[in-house]
């Protein structure tokens, strides 16, 4: 919901506040609230707690608090932007080689950084109105029907799917950590039970974080952990040196021409999917204050600049050093993390490996809070629209537990989803590389056939094409290699 607020003096001791709320359909609803200045501060405080003096937009988790700043934005962007997919980047180099691997990584980094800039600028594209959700911006750009068609399913699907991947990755890594530190333990939990341990931790943390801004400290810890395991890995690889008989020839990995094309498409998908978090950029900016003299875009851009300098310092060294250290020996399934626990375990000591596992788990728990907040926001919006009031603490707790139970069920029912990461990511990849450019054209309306018009139109359609190519390559690869569909049997 975009929000505009205006006010005027009514009489001595009174103030009339007119609030204009833009709903998801793009309609503007006006609400008039009269406040008497003689009302005691104690009564105002009580009303605020009950949601009486707050707008409907302030009832929801994304926009309940606008006390964020460039620091909190940096924490959120780091935590949401660095994920387990980063550890698969050296595998992309196996299929592309040195030159094309580095070239594609650079292009993808600059491309997604540009689309983030577009989203930041579109957040307050209409003066006095803020679009703090990807779905709202899509509706404003493409209209109600097309906007919901283009964004509602991909955003919700991507947020939920990402949280499921966190459970599978975090729960599986918890199991590896336990096995590492407790070799001789008689009682071992099953993988399903480790999934339950992880989701219990994640939901417990979410109960103490009623809105996105309150997740800032968790995001800070998660970002530090994500930077930690990326940096620890590439420093460890440099210290250990190259593996014996290392080869860097992509032609030796796949012999046939069809296999070569398939591997290139998968490499492009690995690089593209590694850059994530665009579906929460507007939400993060929505936690910031905005005034006519200082818009939220300035604060947000500082956070984007700082975070993506750090993200580049994680992605590029890990991809390049990881490929340098192991070359074509990197396994096709699971990337570096799986390799460390199996074929490449001799490259790391037990304490170091334990620290890496712990960092991965904490990072997953923290990132879960950011991506799940998008789902909580939508569910609480439905509740508020039907009840006409803010979600109670008990209802909010129920929503979080319901979502936790749903994602836990999906992770147990489909524990092989991690192997389908490119399919899952490819379906929603246009949210990162395509839609921001097309939304900018639809909202800003630059001169037709101008340089910026052609540039954004070209990038937008290339982003959609990239999404389709990644999806085709992932399905093609799945058809050739098969799938271990261990329904309800995580291992």
């Amino acid at each position: 919901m975009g929000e505009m607020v205006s006010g005027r003096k009514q009489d001595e001791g009174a103030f009339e506040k007119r609030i204009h709320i833009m709903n998801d359909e793009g309609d503007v609803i006006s609400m008039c609230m009269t406040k008497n200045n003689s009302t005691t501060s104690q009564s105002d405080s009580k009303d605020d707690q009950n949601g009486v003096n707050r707008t409907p937009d302030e009832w929801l988790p994304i926009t309940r608090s606008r006390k964020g700043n460039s620091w909190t934005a940096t924490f959120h962007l780091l935590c949401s932007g660095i994920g387990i997919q980063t550890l698969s980047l050296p595998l992309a180099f196996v299929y592309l080689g040195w030159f094309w691997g580095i070239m594609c990584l650079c292009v993808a980094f600059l491309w997604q950084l540009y689309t983030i800039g577009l989203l930041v600028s579109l957040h307050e594209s209409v003066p006095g109105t803020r679009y703090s959700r990807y779905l709202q911006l899509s509706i404003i750009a493409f209209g109600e029907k097309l906007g919901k068609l283009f964004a509602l399913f991909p955003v919700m699907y991507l947020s939920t799917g990402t949280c499921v991947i966190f459970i599978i990755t975090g729960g599986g890594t918890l199991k590896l950590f336990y096995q590492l530190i407790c070799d001789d333990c008689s009682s071992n939990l099953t993988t399903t039970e480790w999934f339950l341990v992880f989701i219990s931790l994640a939901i417990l943390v979410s109960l103490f974080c009623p809105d996105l801004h309150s997740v800032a400290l968790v995001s800070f810890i998660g970002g530090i952990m994500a930077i930690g395991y990326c940096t620890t890995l590439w420093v460890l690889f440099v210290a250990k040196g190259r593996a014996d008989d290392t080869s860097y020839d992509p032609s030796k990995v796949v012999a046939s021409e069809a296999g070569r094309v398939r591997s290139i498409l998968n490499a492009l998908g690995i690089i593209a999917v590694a850059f994530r978090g665009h579906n929460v950029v507007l939400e993060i900016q929505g936690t910031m204050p905005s005034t006519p003299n200082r818009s939220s875009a300035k604060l947000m851009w500082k956070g984007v600049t700082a975070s993506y300098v750090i993200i580049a310092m994680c992605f590029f060294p890990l991809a390049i050093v990881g490929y340098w250290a192991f070359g074509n020996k990197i396994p096709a399934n699971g990337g570096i993390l799986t390799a460390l626990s199996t074929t490449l375990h001799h490259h790391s000591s037990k304490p170091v490996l334990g620290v890496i596992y712990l960092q991965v788990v904490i990072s997953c728990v923290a990132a879960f809070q950011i991506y799940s907040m998008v789902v909580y926001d939508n569910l609480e919006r439905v509740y508020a629209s039907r009840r006409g009031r803010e979600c109670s603490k008990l209802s909010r707790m129920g929503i979080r537990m319901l979502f936790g139970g749903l994602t836990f069920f999906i992770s147990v029912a489909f524990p092989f989803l991690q192997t389908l990461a490119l399919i899952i990511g490819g379906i929603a990849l246009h949210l990162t590389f395509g839609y921001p450019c097309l939304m900018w054209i639809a909202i800003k309306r630059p001169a037709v056939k101008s340089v910026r018009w052609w540039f954004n139109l070209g990038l937008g359609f290339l982003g959609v094409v990239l999404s389709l190519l990644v999806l085709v390559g992932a399905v093609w690869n799945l058809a050739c290699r098969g799938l271990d569909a261990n329904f309800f049997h995580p291992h």
Side-chain angles (χ1 to χ4, degrees):
M1 280 174 268
E3 177 185 327
M4 295 181 287
V5 179
S6 60
R8 64 180 178 83
K9 285 274 179 104
Q10 197 175 38
D11 52 37
E12 187 177 356
F15 185 82
E16 183 185 89
K17 186 177 182 182
R18 182 164 294 277
I19 305 163
H20 311 281
I21 304 297
M22 180 171 288
N23 62 18
D24 287 341
E25 286 72 29
D27 302 323
V28 176
I29 304 171
S30 295
M31 299 172 58
C32 183
M33 299 172 62
T34 303
K35 179 182 176 183
N36 195 309
N37 290 336
S38 62
T39 305
T40 63
S41 59
Q42 182 178 0
S43 176
D44 284 345
S45 177
K46 185 176 181 179
D47 284 345
D48 284 340
Q49 290 176 0
N50 295 329
V52 174
N53 289 340
R54 290 193 289 175
T55 67
D57 210 37
E58 293 172 332
W59 293 349
L60 305 177
I62 299 297
T63 48
R64 181 175 289 117
S65 173
R66 295 195 189 272
K67 298 178 182 179
N69 52 48
S70 56
W71 286 100
T72 59
T74 302
F75 302 154
H76 290 318
L77 290 168
L78 283 173
C79 186
S80 62
I82 304 176
I84 201 68
Q85 295 90 343
T86 309
L87 303 184
S88 296
L89 284 175
L91 180 60
F93 281 50
V94 172
Y95 300 133
L96 295 174
W98 281 114
F99 176 78
W100 288 111
I102 295 175
M103 181 65 68
C104 289
L105 187 58
C106 289
V107 170
F109 179 81
L110 294 175
W111 189 350
Q112 60 86 36
L113 191 60
Y114 175 73
T115 56
I116 285 182
L118 293 181
L119 291 174
V120 171
S121 67
L122 291 175
H123 180 84
E124 296 182 79
S125 51
V126 177
T129 305
R130 301 184 66 175
Y131 304 112
S132 301
R133 296 160 185 84
Y134 203 107
L135 176 59
Q136 293 170 359
L137 195 63
S138 179
I139 290 173
I140 294 301
F142 304 126
E144 180 185 350
K145 291 184 179 179
L146 286 179
K148 287 184 176 180
L149 178 66
F150 289 160
L152 180 59
F153 171 74
V155 168
M156 294 296 287
Y157 154 84
L158 183 60
S159 298
T160 304
T162 304
C163 289
V164 172
I165 296 296
F166 287 147
I167 296 174
I168 296 172
T169 303
T173 308
L174 268 176
K175 182 180 179 180
L176 291 175
F177 177 74
Y178 177 80
Q179 292 173 342
L180 183 71
I181 65 173
C182 196
D183 289 331
D184 302 325
C185 295
S186 56
S187 61
N188 288 322
L189 297 178
T190 64
T191 305
T192 300
E193 290 169 333
W194 283 114
F195 287 0
L196 183 59
V197 171
F198 178 87
I199 191 60
S200 298
L201 288 172
I203 297 302
L204 181 63
V205 173
S206 73
L207 296 179
F208 294 95
C209 301
D211 54 68
L212 185 56
H213 177 65
S214 64
V215 183
L217 179 59
V218 178
S219 295
F220 170 72
I221 296 172
I224 294 297
M225 294 297 106
I227 296 169
Y229 68 72
C230 288
T231 305
T232 301
L233 282 171
W234 72 258
V235 169
L236 178 66
F237 297 156
V238 170
K240 293 290 183 179
R242 289 196 305 172
D244 297 333
D245 302 323
T246 302
S247 173
Y248 304 109
D249 188 358
S251 62
K252 293 182 180 180
V253 180
V254 182
S256 65
E257 284 297 322
R260 178 78 177 136
V261 173
R262 188 178 74 248
S263 64
I264 289 175
L265 291 178
N266 278 299
L268 294 176
I270 290 170
I271 291 175
V273 169
F275 295 101
R276 64 181 197 182
H278 283 58
N279 60 313
V280 296
V281 167
L282 291 170
E283 285 78 355
I284 293 171
Q285 190 172 351
T287 64
M288 297 181 173
S290 181
T291 64
N293 296 327
R294 187 177 180 83
S295 70
S296 61
K298 294 180 180 179
L299 292 174
M300 185 64 180
W301 190 244
K302 286 183 179 180
V304 169
T305 304
S307 60
Y308 274 87
V309 166
I310 298 172
I311 288 173
M313 293 170 64
C314 292
F315 280 29
F316 284 88
L318 182 61
I320 294 171
V321 174
Y323 183 55
W324 168 81
F326 304 113
N328 295 347
K329 292 183 178 181
I330 299 172
N333 294 324
I336 292 294
L337 187 63
T338 301
L340 282 174
S341 59
T342 54
T343 56
L344 305 178
H345 64 277
H346 58 278
H347 268 76
S348 57
S349 63
K350 195 172 180 178
V352 172
L353 196 56
V355 169
I356 292 172
Y357 287 158
L358 201 57
Q359 289 173 332
V360 169
V361 171
I362 296 173
S363 173
C364 287
V365 171
F368 185 97
Q369 311 307 317
I370 298 176
Y371 285 92
S372 63
M373 199 64 71
V374 176
V375 181
Y376 301 154
D377 187 84
N378 275 277
L379 294 178
E380 289 192 30
R381 180 179 59 82
V382 172
Y383 177 95
S385 63
R386 291 183 178 180
R387 297 294 184 90
R389 57 185 172 85
E390 185 178 3
C391 226
S392 64
K393 290 183 179 180
L394 188 61
S395 300
R396 190 178 298 128
M397 185 183 301
I399 287 173
R400 280 153 172 72
M401 289 183 175
L402 177 65
F403 178 72
L406 175 63
T407 51
F408 171 70
F409 174 79
I410 296 174
S411 65
V412 174
F414 307 99
F416 51 87
L417 284 181
Q418 198 169 13
T419 61
L420 303 178
L422 290 185
I423 295 179
I424 296 172
I427 292 175
L429 201 59
H430 48 268
L431 295 178
T432 299
F433 294 99
Y435 283 0
C437 302
L438 300 179
M439 288 192 294
W440 184 88
I441 292 176
I443 294 174
K444 292 293 187 179
R445 301 187 182 279
V448 178
K449 296 185 179 181
S450 63
V451 174
R452 292 207 71 179
W453 186 87
W454 279 115
F455 182 73
N456 283 282
L457 185 66
L459 274 186
F461 280 108
L462 277 177
V464 175
V465 170
L466 176 63
S467 180
L468 293 174
L469 288 177
V470 169
L471 192 58
V472 168
V475 173
W476 186 6
N477 191 58
L478 182 65
C480 293
R481 295 188 176 183
L483 175 66
D484 180 16
N486 51 323
F487 294 100
F488 293 98
H489 287 90
H491 56 256

